[in-house]
Amino acid sequence: MPFCEVGKFQNGVDATGNNGTKIFYRTYGQGPVKVLLIIGLAGTHSSWEPQIKALAGTITPNDSESPAGDWSSGEGGGMEVCAFDNRGMGLSSVPTKKSEYTTSIMAKDAIAIMDHLGWEKAHVFGHSMGAMISCKLAAMVPERVLSLALLNVTGGGYECIPRLDRQTLSIAVRFLKAKTPEQRAAVDLDTHYSKEYLEEDVGTTTRRAVLYQEYVKGISASGMQSNCGFDGQINACWTHKISRADLESICSAGFLISVIHGRHDVIAQLSHAKRLAKKLHPYARMVELPGGHLVSHERTDEVNDALLELIKASTSKISPYDWTNLPKKSSGWNITPLTRKSSPEGSRSSVMADIIGRLQMFLLFFFGLFMLAFEFMRRGVSRVKPVRVNAALT
């Protein structure tokens, strides 16, 4: 099986710290166009299967013993796609210290894979935590990114806390109480998909019923993500931050960006994605779809079309102003290559927005502390250890 020993492609402290760390990856298809897919929390490379099929034209990995893949079933062609298991998940190494999991460290894992494959440049697409990692990669080596797609992304930290409403609280309580694959599968469905999608009829039953059976089967058959891996990836999300220097680095490269998000996402709030897209103006296009957190599965065709359009637009080198669908002017400052524009009205608006944002952060932070304290007390009282699973596609 294909592994990348990341320490071999790094120097100094990075090489020493990653000595022995291996990342499992797979490539699909052949062609001059390279696409790197980075999955999110508790997900594996196979979570990208709907996109791999559309981009590479096959879901048969290049390392498969099968002599030929299903090249007629996809829309793509002329592309080589790589998807991998992040550290702490799947077949990749599982460091034991939380400090060994940050989006910067995991971005360096992805860069090491590009070096291992001999890819000078690639289109970089990430989902959820993988989108955070993709942002860090783009800020570190902007010259190696052809385009950037951020699916269901947030800015990390307090933005990782789900929206505060009755539905989210219900999901949180059910998640904490889940002790069986059946209970976890029911919670995951409400976390990953929109209510409308789950209630659609599929033959004589509903999509919820069909997906429920698939989830229970997958959770029961798969191995469990280790505590170290789960806690480490949570740490990576919580400590993630995109600085102004990161934004300037990304914008200075001039590549096109698509921010793709489901309107009904209960994990990564749409408002956070919109805020990030505005900071990346004029290079970013905002794509809102009627889906949940796993919009890449719920709205597969629309997501695939958006990704293929991004690749095509990047190849044709169109102007960012022809690409973006965001307002040409906005209050306050916009990040552009090493410049900053401001106005008195924009400054006042920015101050108010900052105050409101900080108040929201304060409330959500204490909500997060409450949930963590609740979980701690629940574990202390209960002698029955909850089932830990890793079938989540997020």
Side-chain angles (χ1 to χ4, degrees):
M1 291 186 289
F3 286 91
C4 170
E5 296 186 31
V6 296
K8 292 184 177 181
F9 300 92
Q10 298 173 340
N11 300 312
V13 176
D14 291 334
T16 302
N18 287 315
N19 185 28
T21 300
K22 296 182 179 180
I23 301 297
F24 177 77
Y25 71 92
R26 275 192 153 150
T27 59
Y28 306 81
Q30 301 289 341
V33 179
K34 312 299 183 183
V35 181
L36 184 67
L37 304 176
I38 308 178
I39 197 57
L41 175 70
T44 65
H45 68 283
S46 61
S47 302
W48 283 111
E49 189 171 288
Q51 284 65 54
I52 293 171
K53 187 175 183 179
L55 296 171
T58 180
I59 56 174
T60 302
N62 293 335
D63 61 287
S64 172
E65 295 180 358
S66 176
D70 181 12
W71 291 88
S72 62
S73 60
E75 303 170 14
M79 299 186 197
E80 184 178 7
V81 178
C82 176
F84 61 94
D85 297 345
N86 284 308
R87 60 171 61 204
M89 187 59 197
L91 297 177
S92 292
S93 296
V94 183
T96 57
K97 298 179 180 178
K98 284 201 298 185
S99 60
E100 296 179 275
Y101 295 85
T102 67
T103 52
S104 294
I105 290 174
M106 297 166 88
K108 292 176 182 178
D109 290 344
I111 295 170
I113 291 174
M114 291 179 64
D115 293 336
H116 174 76
L117 295 173
W119 291 6
E120 182 180 353
K121 297 183 178 183
H123 299 274
V124 180
F125 303 159
H127 177 265
S128 194
M129 179 187 73
M132 301 180 201
I133 297 170
S134 298
C135 281
K136 281 297 182 183
L137 184 154
M140 290 177 180
V141 288
E143 72 281 358
R144 301 186 64 175
V145 177
L146 294 173
S147 71
L148 184 66
L150 307 174
L151 284 69
N152 298 82
V153 68
T154 73
Y158 80 92
E159 292 187 7
C160 292
I161 299 176
R163 72 171 183 242
L164 187 57
D165 59 19
R166 182 175 298 179
Q167 179 189 10
T168 305
L169 287 174
S170 173
I171 291 174
V173 172
R174 289 163 56 206
F175 177 83
L176 294 173
K177 290 182 177 180
K179 296 181 175 67
T180 67
E182 289 78 11
Q183 292 173 334
R184 178 59 186 269
V187 177
D188 281 352
L189 291 180
D190 290 328
T191 303
H192 294 163
Y193 304 101
S194 65
K195 181 179 179 180
E196 293 76 13
Y197 181 74
L198 293 173
E199 292 178 350
E200 290 179 0
D201 291 331
V202 179
T204 59
T205 185
T206 64
R207 193 179 302 278
R208 178 188 291 275
V210 174
L211 288 173
Y212 176 77
Q213 295 300 326
E214 293 179 0
Y215 268 54
V216 171
K217 182 179 179 180
I219 293 172
S220 300
S222 65
M224 296 184 292
Q225 184 179 23
S226 69
N227 291 336
C228 292
F230 182 79
D231 293 342
Q233 290 191 352
I234 288 290
N235 182 70
C237 294
W238 187 250
T239 59
H240 174 73
K241 181 181 180 181
I242 289 294
S243 66
R244 182 169 298 174
D246 289 335
L247 292 171
E248 290 180 346
S249 178
I250 292 171
C251 290
S252 67
F255 50 75
L256 301 181
I257 303 167
S258 280
V259 180
I260 305 171
H261 213 96
R263 296 191 187 100
H264 309 297
D265 191 337
V266 299
I267 296 179
Q269 296 184 57
L270 176 61
S271 59
H272 299 320
K274 286 184 173 181
R275 186 180 300 114
L276 178 59
K278 290 178 181 178
K279 291 179 180 180
L280 295 170
H281 183 273
Y283 306 98
R285 170 183 287 187
M286 188 72 213
V287 181
E288 295 181 39
L289 297 173
H293 187 64
L294 205 57
V295 71
S296 56
H297 284 229
E298 183 171 344
R299 298 294 171 182
T300 298
D301 291 341
E302 293 96 321
V303 169
N304 291 344
D305 287 345
L307 297 178
L308 289 168
E309 185 179 6
L310 174 61
I311 294 174
K312 181 178 179 181
S314 299
T315 303
S316 63
K317 300 185 182 302
I318 68 171
S319 166
Y321 292 96
D322 293 329
W323 169 255
T324 188
N325 59 356
L326 299 173
K328 292 183 179 181
K329 294 182 180 181
S330 61
S331 61
W333 53 268
N334 283 330
I335 293 289
T336 55
L338 302 179
T339 65
R340 176 177 175 175
K341 297 180 180 180
S342 61
S343 64
E345 295 80 4
S347 297
R348 286 192 291 270
S349 299
S350 296
V351 171
M352 288 301 299
D354 184 63
I355 293 174
I356 294 173
R358 289 176 182 275
L359 178 60
Q360 181 188 39
M361 178 177 66
F362 178 81
L363 295 174
L364 291 177
F365 175 73
F366 276 95
F367 170 71
L369 288 181
F370 170 78
M371 294 304 296
L372 289 174
F374 178 81
E375 170 68 358
F376 178 79
M377 289 186 292
R378 187 185 69 85
R379 290 187 179 184
V381 173
S382 175
R383 292 177 180 239
V384 180
K385 188 175 181 180
V387 174
R388 293 297 296 272
V389 297
N390 77 333
L393 298 177
T394 60

